[in-house]
Amino acid sequence: MAEENKEEKSHKRNQISIELSEEMAEGEYANLATIAHSNSEFVIDFIRLMPGTPKAKVKARIIVTPEHAKRLLFALKDNIEKFEEAFGQIKQNTDTPKFPINFGGTIGEA
């Protein structure tokens, strides 16, 4: 019984409470990411690229250590495998996405 209490207390000590604000819970849509790195960190920029507009905006920048970048890689791999088991293979299209010509922009007239 005393052993169980030690394990329970140890488990409670190792728990992290994560807070998610309403604003953050809404998320940001990104359809492009760029990654750069130095000897001590990885910088991942999540970008929203809208056809018909001359600029793309960085919607979020995440900076992580190399160790955390590798953990993220494995977590994404694991989640993609689970997704594909549930919903089928994710198709990869190597072509540039095709958007309607006026998507996000004005229609020109001659």
Side-chain angles (χ1 to χ4, degrees):
M1 178 108 173
E3 191 64 34
E4 279 184 40
N5 285 340
K6 278 185 182 180
E7 276 188 42
E8 192 174 307
K9 286 179 183 177
S10 175
H11 181 69
K12 285 182 180 178
R13 249 194 323 251
N14 292 331
Q15 287 184 342
I16 298 172
S17 176
I18 298 173
E19 186 176 313
L20 181 64
S21 69
E22 285 185 43
E23 182 182 339
M24 188 62 65
E26 290 180 18
E28 284 288 348
Y29 175 76
N31 55 4
L32 178 67
T34 62
I35 303 171
H37 67 274
S38 69
N39 64 334
S40 61
E41 61 197 16
F42 279 74
V43 178
I44 308 166
D45 285 335
F46 292 93
I47 300 162
R48 184 180 306 158
L49 177 63
M50 299 301 288
T53 58
K55 287 186 178 181
K57 290 192 175 188
V58 173
K59 301 308 284 182
R61 172 172 279 186
I62 307 299
I63 303 167
V64 297
T65 64
E67 180 184 4
H68 284 114
K70 199 162 195 176
R71 286 183 185 165
L72 176 61
L73 171 70
F74 291 135
L76 279 169
K77 182 180 181 302
D78 181 56
N79 276 269
I80 288 171
E81 288 170 358
K82 289 175 182 172
F83 177 93
E84 289 182 332
E85 283 176 19
F87 303 106
Q89 190 77 16
I90 298 171
K91 294 178 184 147
Q92 286 188 282
N93 187 352
T94 57
D95 296 338
T96 305
K98 292 173 179 62
F99 296 101
I101 293 171
N102 67 338
F103 185 78
T106 58
I107 299 173
E109 292 183 11

